[in-house]
C-alpha cells in the first residue's frame, strides 16, 4: 500500500508499547468512529443502494446486519459544521463553526471548546485521529490541541481544495495564482499532543487518490498498538471519500459494476471499513469495542453525477432532509442486539454525550477557558442497549449564518422557514428539487413556514399548513415553543464569533455609514469594539 512518509511515522513508535494479547473485557468500551464524507443516504446496500446501484457495500451491510441501523439520523448541512457538531456536541453556531473553511483562512475550532476526545481523556482514554479534519488551520485548532494524543495522515480541507493548484485539474489558472494556492495549502500533517505539528508531504496528483488508503493503513497500525494496552481507546477515522471530486484509489479504478468514479469510490470506502472491522475481529476485541459509522452531511446534488443518491428533497447546503439526513450504524457485539432498527430522531450531535456516558464521565459545566458552556448532545445509550429513556424529539436545521433555525423538526412534523435551494420549484410538483441546490439564495417565508408530515411525506412534497385536506396551523405552537427554548439558551450562552469567512450581503454605503456611526457612539462612551482577530 502507498505510504507517504514511513520514516516520519516511525518517530512515534517509542511512545506506545508494542501490541500484546487482548486484555480482559473492560468496563469502558473502546470507541472507533468512522466518518465518510458526503456519502449519500441511499448509497449503501443496507439503505436500498449497494449492488442494486452498481456499488456493492458488503462490509457496511454486514455492519448493519450485526449492529443497529438508524433511519432518522441527522448530520448538518455541510462539512465543517457537520464535523464540528459531532466532535463538540454543540450546534455549530455556538462554536462559530458554521461554514466551510478554505485554505489560507487560519483559525478554526476555538481552543475553549470541548471535544469527545478531550472529554474521554478525562476518563483515561488513549486517543487517535486520522484523515479529514476540516476544522481549521491554526495550531490551537488542530486535533492534537483538542484531546487527541496522536494525529496521522491528517488533511485540513475538503478534497477539491487540493485540486485548485493542480494543473491537471485547472490548466487555465494563472501561474501566479497557482503559486499562491500552493503556498497557502497545508499538506498532510502528523503530530503528538504537546508538540508542534509536522507537515510530512503535499497532496498532489500522485497521492490524492490514495489518501484514504494511507488513512486506513496508519489506522490499522495504531489499532493493533492500542488493542494491547490496559487503557481503553478512542479512534476517530475520517475518510476523504465521497467528497467531489471522487478520485478512486488506483486499485479501485473500474472496480464497481457501475464503472463510475463515484461508484468506484463507494466500493473503495466499503473496502477500507472492511479492513478496519476485520482487524477488530482478528484482535478479539469485538465485545469491548463500539464502532459508530456515519456521515458529516447529506448528499451534494449540485455536482451530480459525481455525487451520492438521496431519496429526499434538496441537497447538501440546504435545510431540506437531503442536506441533513445521513446514514448511521452502531456495532457492539454482546451489547447492541444484531439487526436492530431505530427510527427515533438522533444525530451526530449526540456522539459526545453518549461517549461520555459510556466512559463514566459527566459533561463539563464550563468550557476549557472556565466559562459556562451548554451542550446540545443527548445520551443515546438507551437506543444502543434497547432500553427506555431516549429524550430527543426535535431537530434544528441551520445554514451558514442562521441563529434561529432555517427549519425545525418536532416528532413527525417539520416546519421549513428557509426555502433555499428550491429555485422556484413548488411543493407537490413533478420535480420536488432533488437536483436543485446549494447555490440558490437564502429565501425565507414571509409569515408562515411550510409544514410537512415526515412520516407520510419524507420528501417534503406537500405543505400541510393550509390545504384542502386539512390545515395544520396548530403545529406553529409546537414549533414556536421549541424555538423559544433554543433562543433563550443563546441569551444565557452567547455563540462564539464565526470562525470562517462567509458572505453576509453587500456592503452598501448605508450599511458602512451605520456601522461607522455605531462605532463613533460607542467610542464616545469609552467602549472600543474588538478587532476581528481577537
Amino acid at each position: 500500500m502507498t505510504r507517504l512518509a514511513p520514516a516520519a511515522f516511525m518517530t512515534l513508535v517509542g511512545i506506545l508499547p508494542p501490541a500484546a494479547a487482548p486484555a480482559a473485557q473492560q468496563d469502558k468500551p473502546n470507541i472507533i468512529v468512522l466518518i465518510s464524507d458526503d456519502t449519500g443516504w441511499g448509497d449503501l446496500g443496507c439503505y436500498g443502494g449497494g449492488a442494486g446501484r452498481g456499488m456493492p457495500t458488503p462490509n457496511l451491510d454486514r455492519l448493519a446486519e450485526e449492529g443497529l441501523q438508524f433511519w432518522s439520523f441527522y448530520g448538518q448541512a455541510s462539512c465543517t459544521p457537520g464535523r464540528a457538531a459531532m466532535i463538540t456536541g454543540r450546534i455549530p453556531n455556538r462554536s462559530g463553526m458554521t461554514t466551510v473553511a478554505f485554505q489560507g483562512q487560519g483559525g478554526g475550532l476555538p481552543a475553549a471548546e470541548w471535544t469527545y476526545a478531550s472529554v474521554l481523556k478525562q476518563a483515561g482514554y488513549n486517543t487517535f485521529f486520522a484523515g479529514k479534519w476540516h476544522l481549521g488551520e491554526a495550531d490551537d485548532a488542530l486535533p492534537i490541541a483538542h484531546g487527541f494524543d496522536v494525529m496521522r495522515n491528517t488533511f485540513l480541507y475538503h478534497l477539491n481544495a487540493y485540486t485548485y493548484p493542480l494543473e491537471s485539474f485547472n490548466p487555465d489558472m494563472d501561474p501566479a495564482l497557482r503559486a499562491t494556492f500552493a503556498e497557502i495549502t497545508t499538506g498532510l500533517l502528523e503530530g503528538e499532543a504537546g508538540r508542534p505539528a509536522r507537515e510530512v508531504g503535499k497532496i498532489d496528483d500522485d497521492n490524492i487518490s490514495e489518501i484514504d488508503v494511507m488513512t486506513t493503513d496508519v489506522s490499522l497500525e495504531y489499532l493493533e498498538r492500542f488493542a494491547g494496552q490496559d487503557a481503553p481507546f478512542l479512534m476517530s477515522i475520517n475518510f476523504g471519500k465521497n467528497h467531489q471530486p471522487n478520485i478512486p484509489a488506483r486499485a479501485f479504478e473500474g472496480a464497481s459494476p457501475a464503472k463510475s468514479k463515484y461508484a468506484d469510490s463507494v466500493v473503495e470506502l466499503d473496502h477500507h471499513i472492511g479492513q478496519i472491522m476485520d482487524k477488530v475481529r482478528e484482535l478479539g476485541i469485538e465485545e469491548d469495542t463500539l464502532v459508530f459509522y456515519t456521515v458529516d452531511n447529506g448528499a451534494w446534488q449540485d455536482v451530480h453525477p459525481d455525487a451520492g443518491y438521496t431519496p429526499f428533497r434538496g441537497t447538501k447546503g440546504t435545510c431540506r432532509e437531503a442536506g441533513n439526513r445521513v446514514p448511521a450504524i452502531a456495532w457492539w457485539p454482546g451489547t447492541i442486539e444484531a439487526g436492530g432498527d431505530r427510527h427515533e430522531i438522533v444525530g451526530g450531535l449526540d456522539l459526545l454525550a453518549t461517549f461520555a456516558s459510556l466512559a463514566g464521565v459527566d459533561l463539563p459545566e464550563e468550557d476549557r477557558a472556565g466559562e459556562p458552556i451548554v451542550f446540545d448532545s443527548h445520551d443515546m445509550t438507551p437506543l444502543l442497549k434497547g432500553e427506555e429513556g431516549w429524550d430527543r424529539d426535535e431537530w434544528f436545521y441551520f445554514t451558514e449564518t442562521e441563529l434561529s433555525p432555517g427549519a425545525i423538526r418536532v416528532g413527525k412534523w417539520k416546519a421549513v422557514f428557509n426555502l433555499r435551494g428550491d429555485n422556484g420549484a413548488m411543493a407537490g410538483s413533478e420535480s420536488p428539487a432533488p437536483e436543485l441546490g446549494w447555490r440558490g439564495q437564502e429565501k425565507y417565508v414571509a409569515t408562515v413556514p411550510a409544514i410537512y408530515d415526515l412520516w407520510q411525506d419524507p420528501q417534503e412534497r406537500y405543505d400541510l399548513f393550509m390545504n384542502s385536506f386539512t390545515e395544520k396551523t396548530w403545529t406553529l405552537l409546537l414549533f414556536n415553543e421549541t424555538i423559544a427554548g433554543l433562543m433563550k439558551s443563546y441569551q444565557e450562552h452567547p455563540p462564539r464569533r464565526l470562525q470562517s469567512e462567509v458572505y453576509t450581503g453587500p456592503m452598501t454605503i448605508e450599511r458602512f455609514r451605520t456601522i461607522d456611526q455605531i462605532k463613533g457612539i460607542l467610542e464616545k462612551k469609552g467602549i472600543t469594539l474588538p478587532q476581528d482577530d481577537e
Side-chain angles (χ1 to χ4, degrees):
M1 293 291 187
T2 301
R3 168 79 57 225
L4 186 65
F9 167 76
M10 293 303 294
T11 61
L12 187 65
V13 167
I15 74 168
L16 289 174
Q25 186 168 2
Q26 55 201 30
D27 294 333
K28 301 173 184 179
N30 307 313
I31 298 171
I32 301 175
V33 188
L34 304 172
I35 301 174
S36 62
D37 202 353
D38 285 17
T39 309
W41 193 89
D43 288 342
L44 313 185
C46 53
Y47 282 91
R53 298 193 52 246
M55 50 186 81
T57 56
N59 294 295
L60 282 160
D61 297 348
R62 180 182 177 184
L63 199 69
E65 290 168 3
E66 297 179 355
L68 177 64
Q69 186 172 357
F70 294 89
W71 295 88
S72 290
F73 194 94
Y74 290 93
Q76 300 293 319
S78 60
C79 301
T80 296
R83 292 165 188 276
M86 278 190 276
I87 204 167
T88 67
R90 283 159 46 88
I91 291 170
N93 60 31
R94 297 195 193 278
S95 62
M97 303 297 291
T98 65
T99 189
V100 174
F102 285 80
Q103 60 262 56
Q105 291 185 326
L109 188 64
E113 289 289 328
W114 287 96
T115 69
Y116 54 55
S118 55
V119 168
L120 290 188
K121 286 303 297 178
Q122 312 302 305
Y125 275 67
N126 291 325
T127 55
F128 169 88
F129 184 92
K132 180 178 178 180
W133 178 241
H134 212 181
L135 295 175
E137 300 174 306
D139 290 343
D140 61 5
L142 297 179
I144 51 175
H146 280 282
F148 291 99
D149 298 325
V150 182
M151 67 178 186
R152 286 290 183 269
N153 203 63
T154 297
F155 50 103
L156 303 184
Y157 325 108
H158 43 298
L159 278 185
N160 55 322
Y162 296 99
T163 67
Y164 298 159
L166 298 183
E167 190 169 0
S168 57
F169 279 85
N170 297 297
D172 54 345
M173 182 180 288
D174 179 85
L177 182 57
R178 187 189 313 284
T180 298
F181 267 117
E183 181 180 352
I184 66 174
T185 302
T186 302
L188 290 171
L189 296 177
E190 66 176 30
E192 301 81 44
R195 305 179 190 175
R198 302 179 295 276
E199 185 180 60
V200 295
K202 294 293 185 181
I203 298 176
D204 54 25
D205 285 308
D206 182 61
N207 61 31
I208 190 170
S209 65
E210 312 303 306
I211 199 162
D212 285 349
V213 175
M214 294 186 285
T215 291
T216 304
D217 282 354
V218 74
S219 297
L220 291 172
E221 293 182 35
Y222 271 86
L223 178 54
E224 284 202 47
R225 290 183 172 279
F226 282 139
Q229 309 310 306
D230 293 332
F233 63 80
L234 162 73
M235 300 186 73
S236 183
I237 304 172
N238 300 261
F239 300 99
K241 312 289 170 49
N242 301 96
H243 196 288
Q244 187 272 345
N246 279 279
I247 312 171
R250 287 182 282 274
F252 292 90
E253 291 178 0
S256 69
K259 306 300 182 188
S260 71
K261 289 184 177 181
Y262 187 87
D264 290 349
S265 295
V266 170
V267 170
E268 180 191 347
L269 169 70
D270 182 76
H271 173 78
H272 294 320
I273 289 176
Q275 289 180 285
I276 292 166
M277 296 307 302
D278 287 347
K279 180 60 68 173
V280 170
R281 298 180 182 104
E282 175 190 320
L283 293 168
I285 57 173
E286 301 100 313
E287 294 191 358
D288 292 332
T289 305
L290 166 65
V291 176
F292 203 99
Y293 164 77
T294 191
V295 184
D296 51 359
N297 51 254
W300 190 8
Q301 300 299 276
D302 285 352
V303 295
H304 181 82
D306 193 20
Y309 169 73
T310 173
F312 304 115
R313 182 174 184 169
T315 178
K316 170 183 178 177
T318 73
C319 291
R320 295 295 187 178
E321 289 298 287
N324 295 267
R325 200 183 294 206
V326 297
I329 304 168
W331 180 92
W332 187 1
T335 299
I336 294 176
E337 184 176 354
D341 296 286
R342 301 307 301 229
H343 294 271
E344 291 88 346
I345 300 172
V346 198
L349 281 169
D350 299 319
L351 296 182
L352 180 78
T354 305
F355 296 167
S357 174
L358 295 174
V361 294
D362 295 329
L363 291 182
E365 295 183 358
E366 296 180 338
D367 68 15
R368 296 170 76 190
E371 297 297 325
I373 191 170
V374 62
F375 293 97
D376 303 289
S377 191
H378 293 232
D379 178 11
M380 69 174 86
T381 302
L383 298 181
L384 302 181
K385 296 185 176 181
E387 301 170 348
E388 299 294 326
W390 179 241
D391 60 354
R392 179 189 286 288
D393 197 38
E394 83 290 326
W395 192 261
F396 300 109
Y397 307 69
F398 297 94
T399 56
E400 292 87 349
T401 60
E402 290 175 326
L403 195 59
S404 61
I408 176 175
R409 178 177 178 180
V410 180
K412 69 175 185 174
W413 303 106
K414 181 177 181 181
V416 178
F417 302 92
N418 182 359
L419 306 180
R420 178 191 198 177
D422 284 351
N423 296 349
M426 298 299 292
S429 70
E430 293 182 357
S431 298
E435 80 290 350
L436 301 176
W438 197 359
R439 291 168 290 183
Q441 64 181 0
E442 291 179 337
K443 184 174 65 174
Y444 292 90
V445 294
T447 54
V448 296
I451 304 294
Y452 301 98
D453 179 343
L454 293 182
W455 285 2
Q456 297 188 66
D457 178 27
Q459 291 181 312
E460 301 172 80
R461 297 182 65 194
Y462 304 103
D463 180 3
L464 295 178
F465 187 81
M466 285 187 179
N467 65 19
S468 58
F469 164 66
T470 184
E471 53 117 340
K472 300 296 183 182
T473 54
W474 57 266
T475 59
L476 277 183
L477 297 178
L478 191 66
F479 296 124
N480 290 344
E481 181 180 4
T482 305
I483 292 175
L486 173 66
M487 300 308 289
K488 182 178 179 181
S489 75
Y490 293 140
Q491 296 175 346
E492 298 172 352
H493 305 277
R496 304 189 195 278
R497 69 175 182 83
L498 296 182
Q499 299 298 306
S500 297
E501 297 174 6
V502 63
Y503 181 67
T504 58
M507 176 55 77
T508 63
I509 295 174
E510 291 80 6
R511 184 179 178 190
F512 179 83
R513 288 181 60 83
T514 300
I515 294 173
D516 200 46
Q517 289 170 357
I518 291 172
K519 287 182 177 179
I521 293 171
L522 292 175
E523 287 173 0
K524 288 181 179 179
K525 295 179 176 292
I527 301 172
T528 303
L529 292 178
Q531 299 298 315
D532 290 342
D533 59 351
E534 292 185 8

